Amino acid sequence: MEARPYKEDCLALILSGGGARAAYQVGVMAGIAELTPQATPNLFPIICGTSAGAINALALATHAGNLHSAVDSMLEVWSGFRSHHVMRTDWPGLMAQAWRWSRTNLLGGSGGRTTALLDNRPLRDLLEKRMRFGCIEEALQAGQLRAISVSAFDYKASQSVYFYQGRDRITPWQRHRRIGVQTRLGLDHLMASTAIPLLFPPVLLNRSWFGDGAVRQQSPLSPALHLGANKVLVIGVTHHGSQLPAGGQPGPVLNTPAPPSLAQLGGHMLHSVFIDNLETDLEQLERMNRLAAYQPFAMRSGVKGVRHVDVLVISPSEPVDLIAARHRAALPAGLRLFLRGSGATRTSGSDLLSYLLFEAEYCNELIALGRRDALARADDLRRFLDIPAPA
């Protein structure tokens, strides 16, 4: 976990990707806001977001003057979400996009025009209307923020790119298949970070096509460390409970199981994109922290030493896919029929559905879960975020 040296404690917030699952992050932030006074400014000098987490990250950064205002803005959007705010869900739109995709990828007849299974222009319109990108620079200059990072995947160079905007000049970094690029963040960076492969179209930036920032993201924690963090709060989007029977061993297979549906395969692929690398990186950081404890004290904050990084992880206490399965009927009729063939509307396909179910019923249950999980860890959060205990 190599990173730039620091002179003071610096806290970072990591918001991972996960499509509609990112509503859980809003709930956690709502719980954190409840632990703070009404006029509390942004608590996180460094904010790093990936995919849908990048939307939440920029929402926090653009309201850095007041944490409660930021959370209220996020709640306003996520609690009223509908799929048509993110993608075309009407029959003409779905059929037109399906035809463009088939013509390009099966018939080769579009002249190189980029297409995807779903049309996410409604999301661009929503973000263009809601995001006040100019407020990021104001927050940086006011000292309410040190840096904000958004990740995207460069298809041409086959590497993760961390676009970041900082208060001062921050030296860019380059590692194996990942680089940091200082720039002024805008709508195209956000759309690139949320462009889930195959589902949403890639975005052209600086003569390269970019897609979802979680793709091949080898070290999701690295941008926060390169930007100077030595404390990291990670808000995950997956449940970590065991799925084994009570005895700890898999139960007997009585019948030959059905082969996995396209939705099941898609769900596992999205898990590998959005979740697996973050969990692996957290394990690596834990090992490096143990190593840091054995090195001479004088080396612990130096450039050549391995420094300890405090980490707190908040993640769903309930399986998100089961929550999605309860709300699959909330999908618009056209989109439900469009996804039926893949198995996404069946219980077995709820993993994939949990990433695509941008509907208020599902999002509000995730928000409520995130708030409960945050308040259940209230003492840990107060200590970690240095929030005074109530009188």
Side-chain angles (χ1 to χ4, degrees):
M1 289 295 167
E2 185 180 352
R4 63 195 294 264
Y6 64 96
K7 296 182 179 179
E8 57 187 21
D9 286 349
C10 190
L11 175 65
L13 174 66
I14 303 288
L15 298 174
S16 61
R21 289 175 173 232
Y24 175 82
Q25 299 169 349
V26 179
V28 173
M29 292 306 305
I32 291 174
E34 287 188 36
L35 303 177
T36 66
Q38 188 65 35
T40 300
N42 169 52
L43 296 173
F44 307 97
I46 298 171
I47 305 176
C48 302
T50 298
S51 193
I55 297 176
N56 291 334
L58 284 176
L60 290 171
T62 55
H63 293 81
N66 188 288
L67 177 64
H68 290 257
S69 175
V71 171
D72 288 344
S73 177
M74 296 162 71
L75 286 170
E76 181 182 352
V77 173
W78 282 94
S79 64
F81 241 145
R82 292 296 174 190
S83 294
H84 68 261
H85 295 144
V86 178
M87 65 198 98
R88 291 282 301 271
T89 61
D90 57 294
W91 265 115
L94 288 170
M95 295 307 295
Q97 190 67 12
W99 165 244
R100 283 193 292 267
W101 186 89
S102 299
R103 185 179 60 184
T104 298
N105 298 287
L106 300 180
L107 304 177
S110 74
R113 183 172 164 195
T114 59
T115 62
L117 287 172
L118 299 170
D119 182 350
N120 66 343
R121 280 178 293 183
L123 178 61
R124 174 179 279 273
D125 294 339
L126 175 66
L127 294 177
E128 188 172 24
K129 177 182 177 181
R130 301 283 310 191
M131 287 293 182
R132 302 177 298 168
F133 292 99
C135 293
I136 297 175
E137 187 62 30
E138 294 176 10
L140 291 167
Q141 296 305 318
Q144 298 162 342
L145 195 64
R146 177 184 290 192
I148 169 80
S149 167
V150 169
S151 63
F153 181 73
D154 184 341
Y155 285 110
K156 181 179 180 181
S158 189
Q159 65 183 359
S160 295
V161 180
Y162 300 101
F163 297 105
Y164 62 92
Q165 188 170 344
R167 183 174 62 201
D168 304 310
R169 172 66 179 170
I170 301 174
T171 303
W173 63 90
Q174 183 167 4
R175 299 293 183 269
H176 178 65
R177 299 212 178 277
R178 51 189 165 95
I179 63 171
V181 177
Q182 188 160 5
T183 187
R184 193 179 184 94
L185 296 175
L187 182 59
D188 284 339
H189 298 99
L190 197 49
M191 291 303 297
S193 185
T194 59
I196 300 175
L198 300 180
L199 297 179
F200 298 143
V203 176
L204 185 63
L205 274 170
N206 303 326
R207 300 182 65 81
S208 288
W209 290 100
F210 285 84
D212 197 291
V215 175
R216 297 185 67 179
Q217 188 181 40
Q218 297 178 351
S219 186
L221 303 181
S222 68
L225 305 185
H226 283 290
L227 293 173
N230 65 314
K231 292 179 64 177
V232 178
L233 173 65
V234 179
I235 304 180
V237 293
T238 187
H239 173 63
H240 294 288
S242 173
Q243 297 188 8
L244 293 178
Q249 297 295 328
V253 178
L254 301 179
N255 298 306
T256 302
S261 67
L262 184 61
Q264 286 177 287
L265 295 175
H268 285 297
M269 289 177 64
L270 289 179
H271 281 335
S272 69
V273 169
F274 289 116
I275 296 170
D276 293 351
N277 286 338
L278 176 60
E279 295 177 347
T280 299
D281 211 22
L282 286 168
E283 291 179 357
Q284 172 74 0
L285 181 58
E286 183 180 349
R287 288 194 292 269
M288 297 303 289
N289 281 340
R290 290 199 295 266
L291 177 61
Y294 289 99
Q295 69 182 350
F297 183 81
M299 293 180 60
R300 295 184 186 182
S301 61
V303 176
K304 296 183 178 180
V306 177
R307 60 183 171 89
H308 181 91
V309 178
D310 291 327
V311 180
L312 178 63
V313 180
I314 305 290
S315 59
S317 58
E318 299 177 17
V320 177
D321 59 322
L322 297 185
I323 298 175
R326 291 199 292 267
H327 296 287
R328 60 181 181 271
L331 271 178
L335 189 58
R336 189 163 61 246
L337 187 59
F338 188 74
L339 295 174
R340 180 181 297 173
S342 70
T345 57
R346 298 194 295 269
T347 301
S348 61
S350 57
D351 268 338
L352 176 62
L353 189 65
S354 69
Y355 291 96
L356 299 178
L357 191 57
F358 291 95
E359 297 296 333
E361 296 85 348
Y362 171 62
C363 292
N364 280 315
E365 187 165 349
L366 288 187
I367 290 171
L369 177 62
R371 177 182 171 276
R372 289 197 305 271
D373 288 348
L375 294 179
R377 303 282 300 275
D379 291 340
D380 293 336
L381 284 168
R382 285 195 180 99
R383 284 193 296 269
F384 195 79
L385 303 178
D386 198 23
I387 298 173

